[in-house]
Amino acid sequence: MDISLRIESEIHHLKQKLINHRIYNHLSNIEDVKIFTQYHVFAVWDFMSLLKSLQNSLTCVDIPWLPNKNSNTARFINEIVLGEETDVNENGIYKSHFDMYIDAMKDIGADTSMILKFINYLSNGHSVTDAMQKIDADKAVCEFVKFSFDTIMKNKEHVIASVFTFGREGLIADMFIEIINHSSKINNKSYNSMIYYLERHVELDGDEHGPMSMKMIQELCGNDEQKIIETISAAKDALQHRINLWDRISEAIQENKKV
């Protein structure tokens, strides 16, 4: 069986749980979206560390420069970095997707203080764990981010690529389509930049980054059965952590409605 078909068959039930998650039905007004973004922004942030970990591993970012081990995977990851780190926002300005997300949060009036304090702690030399503790981040957010960095610390290219591909790039388009569809009735100009962000990801991840990420998985695993097994296991773990985060955000939105 083709490796992509094999992995997809193994993780199909978890992907369906995410695509059909109750969270999308809860995004009925701008207040719901505000709460969603205040949790989700940490996933937007830690995605970049997964990405840069792969770029560090699959390309040469050191001096003196040395040739890449595999020009195919180097090309794939560099193409994705270009789009994620220096995309064009709705005003034609080059920005990372993280910065675009922060801008969209500010437009809708979402609280960005926690994520910006977190970034400030990191900028001043604090570890990710320490910074999370200092901002008193929600347990579900901490566990989600911890999983990403535990994955990075394993230093296995195919495992990191699996979490990156099946927990992010190969999944985001489907999830964001659901968010767009369920929040489309929100008639608020302040929401336009967030819609642009979501639609941009659907376009890039669905048409370009997702397929490139899958090719990267195929290159990294080859016919190595052990790597394929580890890739499937990592994909399942990544999807379950996303489900757990979605569960918590759903609870937070419902809790806010009772206030």
Side-chain angles (χ1 to χ4, degrees), residues 111-138:
D111 186 358
T112 60
S113 61
M114 183 172 285
I115 183 65
L116 294 181
K117 286 178 183 176
F118 175 73
I119 296 296
N120 187 57
Y121 281 126
L122 295 179
S123 298
N124 286 301
H126 291 273
S127 69
V128 172
T129 300
D130 188 32
M132 280 285 178
Q133 291 175 344
K134 285 184 174 297
I135 65 169
D136 194 25
D138 186 270

PDB file of all heavy atoms in Angstrom, residues 111-138:
ATOM      1  N   ASP A 111      -8.070  39.426  23.418  1.00  0.00           N
ATOM      2  CA  ASP A 111      -6.986  39.745  24.347  1.00  0.00           C
ATOM      3  C   ASP A 111      -5.690  39.086  23.883  1.00  0.00           C
ATOM      4  O   ASP A 111      -5.591  37.855  23.845  1.00  0.00           O
ATOM      5  CB  ASP A 111      -7.359  39.256  25.744  1.00  0.00           C
ATOM      6  CG  ASP A 111      -6.351  39.683  26.801  1.00  0.00           C
ATOM      7  OD1 ASP A 111      -5.341  40.324  26.448  1.00  0.00           O
ATOM      8  OD2 ASP A 111      -6.574  39.359  27.983  1.00  0.00           O
ATOM      9  N   THR A 112      -4.706  39.885  23.515  1.00  0.00           N
ATOM     10  CA  THR A 112      -3.409  39.362  23.068  1.00  0.00           C
ATOM     11  C   THR A 112      -2.349  39.459  24.155  1.00  0.00           C
ATOM     12  O   THR A 112      -1.192  39.109  23.925  1.00  0.00           O
ATOM     13  CB  THR A 112      -2.907  40.128  21.827  1.00  0.00           C
ATOM     14  OG1 THR A 112      -2.768  41.513  22.163  1.00  0.00           O
ATOM     15  CG2 THR A 112      -3.864  39.981  20.656  1.00  0.00           C
ATOM     16  N   SER A 113      -2.721  39.919  25.339  1.00  0.00           N
ATOM     17  CA  SER A 113      -1.722  40.185  26.377  1.00  0.00           C
ATOM     18  C   SER A 113      -0.979  38.926  26.803  1.00  0.00           C
ATOM     19  O   SER A 113       0.236  38.958  27.019  1.00  0.00           O
ATOM     20  CB  SER A 113      -2.374  40.844  27.592  1.00  0.00           C
ATOM     21  OG  SER A 113      -3.359  40.006  28.173  1.00  0.00           O
ATOM     22  N   MET A 114      -1.681  37.800  26.902  1.00  0.00           N
ATOM     23  CA  MET A 114      -1.029  36.579  27.378  1.00  0.00           C
ATOM     24  C   MET A 114       0.006  36.074  26.381  1.00  0.00           C
ATOM     25  O   MET A 114       1.144  35.766  26.757  1.00  0.00           O
ATOM     26  CB  MET A 114      -2.076  35.498  27.670  1.00  0.00           C
ATOM     27  CG  MET A 114      -1.473  34.223  28.249  1.00  0.00           C
ATOM     28  SD  MET A 114      -2.704  33.024  28.812  1.00  0.00           S
ATOM     29  CE  MET A 114      -3.245  33.791  30.341  1.00  0.00           C
ATOM     30  N   ILE A 115      -0.350  35.993  25.113  1.00  0.00           N
ATOM     31  CA  ILE A 115       0.604  35.491  24.120  1.00  0.00           C
ATOM     32  C   ILE A 115       1.769  36.460  23.964  1.00  0.00           C
ATOM     33  O   ILE A 115       2.925  36.042  23.794  1.00  0.00           O
ATOM     34  CB  ILE A 115      -0.087  35.217  22.753  1.00  0.00           C
ATOM     35  CG1 ILE A 115       0.903  34.614  21.752  1.00  0.00           C
ATOM     36  CG2 ILE A 115      -0.714  36.475  22.188  1.00  0.00           C
ATOM     37  CD1 ILE A 115       1.434  33.262  22.100  1.00  0.00           C
ATOM     38  N   LEU A 116       1.524  37.762  24.051  1.00  0.00           N
ATOM     39  CA  LEU A 116       2.613  38.732  23.897  1.00  0.00           C
ATOM     40  C   LEU A 116       3.543  38.719  25.113  1.00  0.00           C
ATOM     41  O   LEU A 116       4.764  38.885  24.967  1.00  0.00           O
ATOM     42  CB  LEU A 116       2.044  40.132  23.659  1.00  0.00           C
ATOM     43  CG  LEU A 116       1.281  40.305  22.335  1.00  0.00           C
ATOM     44  CD1 LEU A 116       0.773  41.731  22.190  1.00  0.00           C
ATOM     45  CD2 LEU A 116       2.152  39.922  21.138  1.00  0.00           C
ATOM     46  N   LYS A 117       2.991  38.504  26.302  1.00  0.00           N
ATOM     47  CA  LYS A 117       3.835  38.345  27.493  1.00  0.00           C
ATOM     48  C   LYS A 117       4.690  37.084  27.349  1.00  0.00           C
ATOM     49  O   LYS A 117       5.866  37.078  27.713  1.00  0.00           O
ATOM     50  CB  LYS A 117       2.971  38.247  28.751  1.00  0.00           C
ATOM     51  CG  LYS A 117       2.363  39.561  29.203  1.00  0.00           C
ATOM     52  CD  LYS A 117       1.488  39.342  30.431  1.00  0.00           C
ATOM     53  CE  LYS A 117       0.803  40.635  30.853  1.00  0.00           C
ATOM     54  NZ  LYS A 117      -0.125  40.415  32.008  1.00  0.00           N
ATOM     55  N   PHE A 118       4.085  36.040  26.839  1.00  0.00           N
ATOM     56  CA  PHE A 118       4.793  34.774  26.612  1.00  0.00           C
ATOM     57  C   PHE A 118       5.973  34.990  25.667  1.00  0.00           C
ATOM     58  O   PHE A 118       7.104  34.561  25.954  1.00  0.00           O
ATOM     59  CB  PHE A 118       3.809  33.758  26.027  1.00  0.00           C
ATOM     60  CG  PHE A 118       4.418  32.447  25.634  1.00  0.00           C
ATOM     61  CD1 PHE A 118       4.828  31.532  26.598  1.00  0.00           C
ATOM     62  CD2 PHE A 118       4.561  32.101  24.293  1.00  0.00           C
ATOM     63  CE1 PHE A 118       5.381  30.309  26.230  1.00  0.00           C
ATOM     64  CE2 PHE A 118       5.106  30.895  23.923  1.00  0.00           C
ATOM     65  CZ  PHE A 118       5.521  29.999  24.893  1.00  0.00           C
ATOM     66  N   ILE A 119       5.734  35.661  24.554  1.00  0.00           N
ATOM     67  CA  ILE A 119       6.795  35.951  23.590  1.00  0.00           C
ATOM     68  C   ILE A 119       7.888  36.806  24.237  1.00  0.00           C
ATOM     69  O   ILE A 119       9.088  36.592  24.010  1.00  0.00           O
ATOM     70  CB  ILE A 119       6.218  36.671  22.350  1.00  0.00           C
ATOM     71  CG1 ILE A 119       5.241  35.764  21.591  1.00  0.00           C
ATOM     72  CG2 ILE A 119       7.338  37.145  21.424  1.00  0.00           C
ATOM     73  CD1 ILE A 119       5.859  34.529  20.994  1.00  0.00           C
ATOM     74  N   ASN A 120       7.488  37.751  25.070  1.00  0.00           N
ATOM     75  CA  ASN A 120       8.458  38.616  25.740  1.00  0.00           C
ATOM     76  C   ASN A 120       9.351  37.817  26.681  1.00  0.00           C
ATOM     77  O   ASN A 120      10.569  38.040  26.739  1.00  0.00           O
ATOM     78  CB  ASN A 120       7.727  39.721  26.505  1.00  0.00           C
ATOM     79  CG  ASN A 120       8.685  40.738  27.081  1.00  0.00           C
ATOM     80  OD1 ASN A 120       9.482  41.350  26.360  1.00  0.00           O
ATOM     81  ND2 ASN A 120       8.632  40.935  28.390  1.00  0.00           N
ATOM     82  N   TYR A 121       8.756  36.893  27.415  1.00  0.00           N
ATOM     83  CA  TYR A 121       9.555  36.035  28.310  1.00  0.00           C
ATOM     84  C   TYR A 121      10.568  35.215  27.508  1.00  0.00           C
ATOM     85  O   TYR A 121      11.737  35.080  27.891  1.00  0.00           O
ATOM     86  CB  TYR A 121       8.652  35.103  29.118  1.00  0.00           C
ATOM     87  CG  TYR A 121       7.990  35.755  30.305  1.00  0.00           C
ATOM     88  CD1 TYR A 121       6.604  35.712  30.462  1.00  0.00           C
ATOM     89  CD2 TYR A 121       8.746  36.406  31.280  1.00  0.00           C
ATOM     90  CE1 TYR A 121       5.991  36.315  31.563  1.00  0.00           C
ATOM     91  CE2 TYR A 121       8.142  37.006  32.380  1.00  0.00           C
ATOM     92  CZ  TYR A 121       6.763  36.956  32.517  1.00  0.00           C
ATOM     93  OH  TYR A 121       6.153  37.540  33.595  1.00  0.00           O
ATOM     94  N   LEU A 122      10.125  34.676  26.378  1.00  0.00           N
ATOM     95  CA  LEU A 122      11.035  33.906  25.532  1.00  0.00           C
ATOM     96  C   LEU A 122      12.161  34.794  25.010  1.00  0.00           C
ATOM     97  O   LEU A 122      13.329  34.379  24.976  1.00  0.00           O
ATOM     98  CB  LEU A 122      10.279  33.296  24.353  1.00  0.00           C
ATOM     99  CG  LEU A 122       9.211  32.242  24.665  1.00  0.00           C
ATOM    100  CD1 LEU A 122       8.553  31.781  23.375  1.00  0.00           C
ATOM    101  CD2 LEU A 122       9.805  31.051  25.409  1.00  0.00           C
ATOM    102  N   SER A 123      11.823  36.010  24.625  1.00  0.00           N
ATOM    103  CA  SER A 123      12.819  36.945  24.098  1.00  0.00           C
ATOM    104  C   SER A 123      13.870  37.292  25.143  1.00  0.00           C
ATOM    105  O   SER A 123      15.017  37.615  24.804  1.00  0.00           O
ATOM    106  CB  SER A 123      12.138  38.243  23.621  1.00  0.00           C
ATOM    107  OG  SER A 123      11.235  37.977  22.577  1.00  0.00           O
ATOM    108  N   ASN A 124      13.487  37.190  26.414  1.00  0.00           N
ATOM    109  CA  ASN A 124      14.404  37.504  27.505  1.00  0.00           C
ATOM    110  C   ASN A 124      15.097  36.269  28.073  1.00  0.00           C
ATOM    111  O   ASN A 124      15.669  36.327  29.164  1.00  0.00           O
ATOM    112  CB  ASN A 124      13.667  38.251  28.614  1.00  0.00           C
ATOM    113  CG  ASN A 124      13.362  39.687  28.221  1.00  0.00           C
ATOM    114  OD1 ASN A 124      14.262  40.465  27.922  1.00  0.00           O
ATOM    115  ND2 ASN A 124      12.089  40.052  28.193  1.00  0.00           N
ATOM    116  N   GLY A 125      15.039  35.173  27.330  1.00  0.00           N
ATOM    117  CA  GLY A 125      15.831  33.996  27.677  1.00  0.00           C
ATOM    118  C   GLY A 125      15.148  32.937  28.510  1.00  0.00           C
ATOM    119  O   GLY A 125      15.782  31.944  28.889  1.00  0.00           O
ATOM    120  N   HIS A 126      13.876  33.095  28.808  1.00  0.00           N
ATOM    121  CA  HIS A 126      13.167  32.072  29.577  1.00  0.00           C
ATOM    122  C   HIS A 126      12.843  30.874  28.682  1.00  0.00           C
ATOM    123  O   HIS A 126      12.642  31.017  27.481  1.00  0.00           O
ATOM    124  CB  HIS A 126      11.877  32.637  30.155  1.00  0.00           C
ATOM    125  CG  HIS A 126      12.090  33.650  31.234  1.00  0.00           C
ATOM    126  ND1 HIS A 126      12.248  33.322  32.555  1.00  0.00           N
ATOM    127  CD2 HIS A 126      12.187  35.008  31.169  1.00  0.00           C
ATOM    128  CE1 HIS A 126      12.424  34.414  33.275  1.00  0.00           C
ATOM    129  NE2 HIS A 126      12.396  35.458  32.450  1.00  0.00           N
ATOM    130  N   SER A 127      12.785  29.705  29.281  1.00  0.00           N
ATOM    131  CA  SER A 127      12.410  28.504  28.535  1.00  0.00           C
ATOM    132  C   SER A 127      10.919  28.537  28.230  1.00  0.00           C
ATOM    133  O   SER A 127      10.162  29.310  28.847  1.00  0.00           O
ATOM    134  CB  SER A 127      12.726  27.250  29.350  1.00  0.00           C
ATOM    135  OG  SER A 127      11.867  27.155  30.477  1.00  0.00           O
ATOM    136  N   VAL A 128      10.493  27.700  27.296  1.00  0.00           N
ATOM    137  CA  VAL A 128       9.072  27.622  26.955  1.00  0.00           C
ATOM    138  C   VAL A 128       8.263  27.223  28.186  1.00  0.00           C
ATOM    139  O   VAL A 128       7.225  27.827  28.489  1.00  0.00           O
ATOM    140  CB  VAL A 128       8.843  26.612  25.807  1.00  0.00           C
ATOM    141  CG1 VAL A 128       7.354  26.374  25.593  1.00  0.00           C
ATOM    142  CG2 VAL A 128       9.485  27.112  24.520  1.00  0.00           C
ATOM    143  N   THR A 129       8.737  26.233  28.928  1.00  0.00           N
ATOM    144  CA  THR A 129       8.024  25.763  30.126  1.00  0.00           C
ATOM    145  C   THR A 129       7.918  26.865  31.167  1.00  0.00           C
ATOM    146  O   THR A 129       6.849  27.093  31.750  1.00  0.00           O
ATOM    147  CB  THR A 129       8.745  24.550  30.732  1.00  0.00           C
ATOM    148  OG1 THR A 129       8.798  23.497  29.766  1.00  0.00           O
ATOM    149  CG2 THR A 129       8.018  24.048  31.974  1.00  0.00           C
ATOM    150  N   ASP A 130       9.013  27.555  31.397  1.00  0.00           N
ATOM    151  CA  ASP A 130       9.025  28.638  32.388  1.00  0.00           C
ATOM    152  C   ASP A 130       8.089  29.763  31.959  1.00  0.00           C
ATOM    153  O   ASP A 130       7.334  30.307  32.783  1.00  0.00           O
ATOM    154  CB  ASP A 130      10.455  29.166  32.553  1.00  0.00           C
ATOM    155  CG  ASP A 130      10.581  30.152  33.701  1.00  0.00           C
ATOM    156  OD1 ASP A 130       9.840  29.994  34.695  1.00  0.00           O
ATOM    157  OD2 ASP A 130      11.417  31.074  33.617  1.00  0.00           O
ATOM    158  N   ALA A 131       8.134  30.118  30.675  1.00  0.00           N
ATOM    159  CA  ALA A 131       7.270  31.187  30.172  1.00  0.00           C
ATOM    160  C   ALA A 131       5.801  30.820  30.303  1.00  0.00           C
ATOM    161  O   ALA A 131       4.959  31.660  30.656  1.00  0.00           O
ATOM    162  CB  ALA A 131       7.614  31.502  28.716  1.00  0.00           C
ATOM    163  N   MET A 132       5.475  29.547  30.040  1.00  0.00           N
ATOM    164  CA  MET A 132       4.099  29.081  30.198  1.00  0.00           C
ATOM    165  C   MET A 132       3.642  29.213  31.648  1.00  0.00           C
ATOM    166  O   MET A 132       2.508  29.628  31.932  1.00  0.00           O
ATOM    167  CB  MET A 132       3.991  27.610  29.760  1.00  0.00           C
ATOM    168  CG  MET A 132       3.896  27.414  28.266  1.00  0.00           C
ATOM    169  SD  MET A 132       2.261  27.859  27.666  1.00  0.00           S
ATOM    170  CE  MET A 132       2.471  27.597  25.919  1.00  0.00           C
ATOM    171  N   GLN A 133       4.519  28.877  32.567  1.00  0.00           N
ATOM    172  CA  GLN A 133       4.173  28.976  33.987  1.00  0.00           C
ATOM    173  C   GLN A 133       3.982  30.426  34.410  1.00  0.00           C
ATOM    174  O   GLN A 133       3.066  30.755  35.170  1.00  0.00           O
ATOM    175  CB  GLN A 133       5.269  28.316  34.828  1.00  0.00           C
ATOM    176  CG  GLN A 133       5.332  26.811  34.676  1.00  0.00           C
ATOM    177  CD  GLN A 133       6.506  26.189  35.414  1.00  0.00           C
ATOM    178  OE1 GLN A 133       7.464  26.884  35.804  1.00  0.00           O
ATOM    179  NE2 GLN A 133       6.460  24.879  35.598  1.00  0.00           N
ATOM    180  N   LYS A 134       4.826  31.313  33.892  1.00  0.00           N
ATOM    181  CA  LYS A 134       4.776  32.719  34.280  1.00  0.00           C
ATOM    182  C   LYS A 134       3.486  33.404  33.814  1.00  0.00           C
ATOM    183  O   LYS A 134       2.987  34.314  34.489  1.00  0.00           O
ATOM    184  CB  LYS A 134       6.000  33.460  33.742  1.00  0.00           C
ATOM    185  CG  LYS A 134       7.286  33.168  34.518  1.00  0.00           C
ATOM    186  CD  LYS A 134       8.447  33.993  34.016  1.00  0.00           C
ATOM    187  CE  LYS A 134       9.675  33.812  34.884  1.00  0.00           C
ATOM    188  NZ  LYS A 134       9.471  34.290  36.289  1.00  0.00           N
ATOM    189  N   ILE A 135       2.958  32.977  32.691  1.00  0.00           N
ATOM    190  CA  ILE A 135       1.709  33.585  32.208  1.00  0.00           C
ATOM    191  C   ILE A 135       0.487  32.820  32.694  1.00  0.00           C
ATOM    192  O   ILE A 135      -0.646  33.202  32.410  1.00  0.00           O
ATOM    193  CB  ILE A 135       1.673  33.678  30.669  1.00  0.00           C
ATOM    194  CG1 ILE A 135       1.666  32.278  30.027  1.00  0.00           C
ATOM    195  CG2 ILE A 135       2.826  34.530  30.153  1.00  0.00           C
ATOM    196  CD1 ILE A 135       1.373  32.291  28.544  1.00  0.00           C
ATOM    197  N   ASP A 136       0.729  31.723  33.438  1.00  0.00           N
ATOM    198  CA  ASP A 136      -0.363  30.895  33.967  1.00  0.00           C
ATOM    199  C   ASP A 136      -1.280  30.413  32.841  1.00  0.00           C
ATOM    200  O   ASP A 136      -2.505  30.560  32.897  1.00  0.00           O
ATOM    201  CB  ASP A 136      -1.167  31.672  35.010  1.00  0.00           C
ATOM    202  CG  ASP A 136      -2.087  30.773  35.830  1.00  0.00           C
ATOM    203  OD1 ASP A 136      -1.788  29.565  35.948  1.00  0.00           O
ATOM    204  OD2 ASP A 136      -3.108  31.271  36.351  1.00  0.00           O
ATOM    205  N   ALA A 137      -0.664  29.837  31.818  1.00  0.00           N
ATOM    206  CA  ALA A 137      -1.417  29.350  30.661  1.00  0.00           C
ATOM    207  C   ALA A 137      -2.330  28.189  31.043  1.00  0.00           C
ATOM    208  O   ALA A 137      -2.037  27.424  31.980  1.00  0.00           O
ATOM    209  CB  ALA A 137      -0.452  28.910  29.556  1.00  0.00           C
ATOM    210  N   ASP A 138      -3.404  28.058  30.334  1.00  0.00           N
ATOM    211  CA  ASP A 138      -4.354  26.968  30.556  1.00  0.00           C
ATOM    212  C   ASP A 138      -3.659  25.616  30.400  1.00  0.00           C
ATOM    213  O   ASP A 138      -2.767  25.446  29.558  1.00  0.00           O
ATOM    214  CB  ASP A 138      -5.505  27.081  29.551  1.00  0.00           C
ATOM    215  CG  ASP A 138      -6.598  26.072  29.806  1.00  0.00           C
ATOM    216  OD1 ASP A 138      -6.519  24.962  29.251  1.00  0.00           O
ATOM    217  OD2 ASP A 138      -7.525  26.396  30.562  1.00  0.00           O
TER     218      ASP A 138
END
